[in-house]
């Protein structure tokens, strides 16, 4: 026996029930925001915008050990890694420093990027100012804008970061100190010969 709706009211009720069933089946996508529209850091590093400069996946790699000492200290050297993007139409010099360290400058070409892992002059801090697992205030200055950004400090627990850990030796400490004193007169500049591909 075939079922047919005999009255207009029955047809409307059936259509409403069918519509409610479809809405229930697809309701999650209708009511909740799409996850792909939410910006977030896709790695252990942070993301921040300072003027026309975008910091992406930025972190500091450090063992937390200084010289021959085996104790963990906030005064250990560290290296910043991640990518800096310049969204402006002119070359920008970005200055990076921790509260107790030297200032390192990186030049980013207009509408370009610099990967700190591959730049010719690494962003090495003589004193990180925090132990692995902590957040350090890094002052970022670019194009007349200055902002403090909290950057995570990570050690070599994750194998990918071991390559960038400074070697804790007396010679490394002394060279980092001389680098810090030399930066008062001038800061290091890293300009890539070609814009790295994304």
């Amino acid at each position: 026996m075939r079922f047919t709706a005999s009255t207009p009211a029955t047809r409307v009720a059936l259509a409403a029930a069918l519509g409610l069933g479809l809405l229930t089946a697809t309701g999650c996508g209708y009511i909740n925001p799409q996850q792909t529209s939410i910006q977030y850091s896709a790695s252990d590093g942070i993301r921040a915008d300072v003027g026309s400069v975008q910091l992406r996946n930025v972190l500091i790699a450090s063992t937390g050990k200084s010289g021959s000492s085996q104790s963990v200290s906030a005064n250990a050297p560290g290296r910043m890694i991640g990518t800096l993007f310049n969204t402006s139409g002119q070359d920008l010099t970005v200055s990076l420093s921790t509260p107790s360290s030297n200032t390192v400058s990186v030049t980013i070409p207009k509408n370009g990027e610099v990967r700190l892992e591959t730049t010719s002059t690494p962003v090495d801090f003589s004193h990180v100012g925090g132990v692995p697992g902590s957040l350090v205030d890094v002052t970022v200055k670019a194009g007349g804008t200055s902002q403090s950004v909290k950057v995570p400090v990570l050690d070599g627990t994750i194998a990918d970061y071991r390559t960038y850990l400074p070697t804790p030796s007396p010679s490394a400490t002394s060279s980092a100190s001389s680098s810090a004193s030399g930066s008062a007169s001038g800061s290091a500049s890293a300009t890539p010969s070609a814009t790295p591909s994304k």
Side-chain angles (χ1 to χ4, degrees), residues 62-110:
S62 174
T63 60
K65 297 174 184 174
S66 182
S68 58
S69 173
Q70 292 302 309
S71 60
V72 176
S73 167
N75 292 324
R79 179 178 179 183
M80 180 179 279
I81 61 175
T83 305
L84 306 180
F85 294 92
N86 178 1
T87 61
S88 74
Q90 59 185 2
D91 294 354
L92 280 180
T93 299
V94 181
S95 298
L96 304 157
S97 62
T98 61
S100 58
S101 184
N102 53 312
T103 298
V104 181
S105 295
V106 179
T107 301
I108 314 173
K110 61 182 180 181

Side-chain angles (χ1 to χ4, degrees), residues 13 17 37 65 78 112 128 131-133 136 144 156 163-164 170 180 184 188 190 193:
S37 66
K65 297 174 184 174
V128 171
V131 297
V136 174
T163 307
Y164 309 109
S193 56

